[in-house]
């Protein structure tokens, strides 16, 4: 029975990945500082999977705390989600983002090496592609970033690629997520954003439950199907299942691989809004606003490498994603406490 350390395991993608790891027969250890999540998520994971993961309330900036986790557990591989992830916030407090997402991650990699654990799945992001020249986006496309959050993702990719060159014993999968949305079908775990959501679907969910009055649509003059931004939305359970395939691959190969995790389909803001109206059973108000600085028109994944290397393909569609998001929102009006 292999043991997987999941950093950020009480977070949105981390918690869904813990559920699928347990279902796949892994022992799971969770490390989280609870900055952006609640310890109650561990009870929800147990309610779904029958197992409550061993938990360390630890910050990746705490070197001693990291050492304790590896001293007390034989960790076979690490899935590293822990990190700050708000694009706008990263522009306001870049040093906090670089300290946490870079220094904290390097602490983790050093603790892994010291414990002889050299198998890692890293939570990267499609944001590293910047403004792609064409779509679908392939893993060999140029990378560039336009905000500190994206830069921390790209820097981690470079750090880990250098580690693999320095020590061929390392195995690293760098997973570039497109736009994760939705929730586990049970409605027990899902996305619980802090304050007013920046991302589209958590915002629409609050319009649907009456917390917010209308959706602000950031621009309808893009060269897209209806003028609004097009993105590759992927169900968070599909994303979690992709991590199971990734950790299996990483435990049987050496070196670094970059892999997109998306559906290969793009949906516009208004198409998502209408899908959500179907899910919640009522019309949702919106207003067309100016474009949001830094946004691109269209972004969706080429999914060939994930299919070929991991034998993984997303299977849920936009209606499944909106249905499951709405189910979680209805059942958890105040989040997970
Ligand atoms: C999606 C579309 C907006 C909110 C970001 C990060 C990326 C990743 C996913 C972490 C765009 C439009 C949004 C709203 C709107 N996060 N929109 N009104 O910007 O594609 O990606 O989240 O890894 O790194 O950059 O996602 O959900 O913010 O926006 O019209 O209130 O919805 O303009 O077209 P984005 P998003």
């Amino acid at each position: 029975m292999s043991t997987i350390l999941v950093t950020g395991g009480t977070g949105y993608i981390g918690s869904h990945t813990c559920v699928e790891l347990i279902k796949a027969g892994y022992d799971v250890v969770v490390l989280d500082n609870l900055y952006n999540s609640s310890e109650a998520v561990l009870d929800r994971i147990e309610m779904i999977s029958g197992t409550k993961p061993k938990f360390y309330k630890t910050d990746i900036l705490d070197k001693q705390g990291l050492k304790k986790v590896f001293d007390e557990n034989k960790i076979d591989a690490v899935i590293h989600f822990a990190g700050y992830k708000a694009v706008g916030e990263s522009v306001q407090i870049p040093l906090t983002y670089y300290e946490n997402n870079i220094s904290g991650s390097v602490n983790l990699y050093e603790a892994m090496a010291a414990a002889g654990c050299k198998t890692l799945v890293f939570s990267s992001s499609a944001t590293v592609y910047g403004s792609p020249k064409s779509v679908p986006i392939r893993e060999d496309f140029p990378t560039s970033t336009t905000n500190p959050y994206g830069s921390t993702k790209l820097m981690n990719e470079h750090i880990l690629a250098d580690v693999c060159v320095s020590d061929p014993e390392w195995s690293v999968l760098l997973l570039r997520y497109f736009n994760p949305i939705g929730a586990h079908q049970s409605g027990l775990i899902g996305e619980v954003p802090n304050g007013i959501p920046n991302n589209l679907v958590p915002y629409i969910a609050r319009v649907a439950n009456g917390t917010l009055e209308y959706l602000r649509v950031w621009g309808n003059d893009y060269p897209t199907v209806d003028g609004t931004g097009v993105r590759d939305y992927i169900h968070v359970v599909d994303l979690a299942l992709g991590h199971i395939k990734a950790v299996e691959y990483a435990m049987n190969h050496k070196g670094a691989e970059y892999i997109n995790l998306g559906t290969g389909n793009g949906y516009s803001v208004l198409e998502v809004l209408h899908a959500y109206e179907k899910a919640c059973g009522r019309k949702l108000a919106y207003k067309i606003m100016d474009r949001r600085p830094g946004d691109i028109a269209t972004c969706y994944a080429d999914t060939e490498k994930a299919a070929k290397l991991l034998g993984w393909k997303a299977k849920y569609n936009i209606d499944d994603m909106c249905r499951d998001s709405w189910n979680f929102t209805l059942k958890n009006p105040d989040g997970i406490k």
Side-chain angles (χ1 to χ4, degrees):
M1 173 87 81
S2 298
T3 300
I4 312 294
L5 171 65
V6 180
T7 75
T10 55
Y12 174 42
I13 303 170
S15 56
H16 286 81
T17 302
C18 287
V19 164
E20 300 307 332
L21 283 168
I22 293 165
K23 280 168 64 177
Y26 290 98
D27 275 338
V28 174
V29 176
V30 168
L31 175 159
D32 204 300
N33 67 359
L34 302 180
Y35 161 80
N36 195 20
S37 57
S38 157
E39 194 168 345
V41 168
L42 298 169
D43 299 318
R44 302 292 184 94
I45 291 171
E46 183 177 21
M47 288 163 73
I48 296 169
S49 68
T51 303
K52 186 172 182 176
K54 191 173 181 183
F55 176 60
Y56 289 81
K57 184 178 182 299
T58 301
D59 195 307
I60 52 176
L61 291 173
D62 172 4
K63 290 187 176 184
Q64 286 314 309
L66 284 169
K67 183 178 184 308
K68 177 175 163 57
V69 174
F70 286 92
D71 286 349
E72 294 180 1
N73 302 276
K74 185 191 172 305
I75 304 292
D76 295 296
V78 174
I79 305 181
H80 179 31
F81 293 107
Y84 296 153
K85 61 165 189 167
V87 171
E89 183 185 57
S90 78
V91 176
Q92 307 302 323
I93 49 172
L95 291 178
T96 303
Y97 269 67
Y98 285 116
E99 183 190 38
N100 190 67
N101 291 7
I102 304 296
S103 302
S105 295
V106 169
N107 289 346
L108 172 68
Y109 308 150
E110 285 176 332
M112 289 175 65
C117 173
K118 299 181 179 181
T119 303
L120 174 78
V121 174
F122 175 69
S123 166
S124 191
S125 166
T127 203
V128 303
Y129 293 114
S131 304
K133 293 281 171 292
S134 63
V135 281
I137 301 171
R138 280 199 326 274
E139 287 85 351
D140 61 358
F141 273 25
T143 52
S144 69
T145 53
T146 57
N147 59 73
Y149 160 76
S151 297
T152 68
K153 288 301 183 184
L154 190 53
M155 280 180 201
N156 268 286
E157 290 194 1
H158 292 162
I159 290 165
L160 290 164
D162 290 343
V163 166
C164 289
V165 168
S166 75
D167 177 351
E169 279 310 300
W170 276 81
S171 171
V172 175
L173 280 201
L174 301 145
L175 303 182
R176 291 169 173 172
Y177 310 156
F178 281 69
N179 289 59
I181 63 169
H184 190 268
Q185 284 80 356
S186 64
L188 289 167
I189 52 177
E191 187 169 13
V192 182
N194 266 333
I196 306 284
N198 294 306
N199 293 139
L200 178 67
V201 169
Y203 199 103
I204 290 177
R206 272 150 193 75
V207 174
N209 77 353
T211 312
L212 294 169
E213 197 186 340
Y214 59 86
L215 171 70
R216 298 161 302 173
V217 176
W218 299 129
N220 70 341
D221 58 350
Y222 287 102
T224 64
V225 60
D226 57 20
T228 64
V230 170
R231 297 290 185 274
D232 183 334
Y233 298 95
I234 175 171
H235 197 297
V236 65
V237 173
D238 270 329
L239 196 63
L241 291 167
H243 284 73
I244 308 310
K245 293 287 190 181
V247 83
E248 282 165 10
Y249 183 90
M251 290 174 81
N252 294 290
H253 295 80
K254 301 291 182 197
E257 286 291 355
Y258 304 83
I259 300 184
N260 289 338
L261 291 189
T263 66
N265 302 314
Y267 287 95
S268 75
V269 174
L270 292 179
E271 286 170 332
V272 175
L273 183 86
H274 296 320
Y276 218 99
E277 288 177 330
K278 268 196 295 184
C280 69
R282 71 179 184 85
K283 295 293 285 173
L284 299 176
Y286 67 91
K287 280 184 187 167
I288 303 295
M289 318 294 278
D290 291 338
R291 293 184 177 190
R292 182 172 66 175
D295 270 355
I296 58 176
T298 300
C299 174
Y300 56 87
D302 179 306
T303 59
E304 201 178 315
K305 187 172 180 183
K308 214 162 21 180
L309 226 57
L310 305 182
W312 171 88
K313 188 165 173 38
K315 57 179 186 288
Y316 294 108
N317 63 36
I318 194 71
D319 292 325
D320 298 324
M321 298 177 214
C322 292
R323 177 200 64 220
D324 295 338
S325 166
W326 179 234
N327 179 45
F328 173 76
T329 302
L330 272 181
K331 290 180 174 166
N332 303 273
D334 303 317
I336 299 176
K337 299 266 187 275

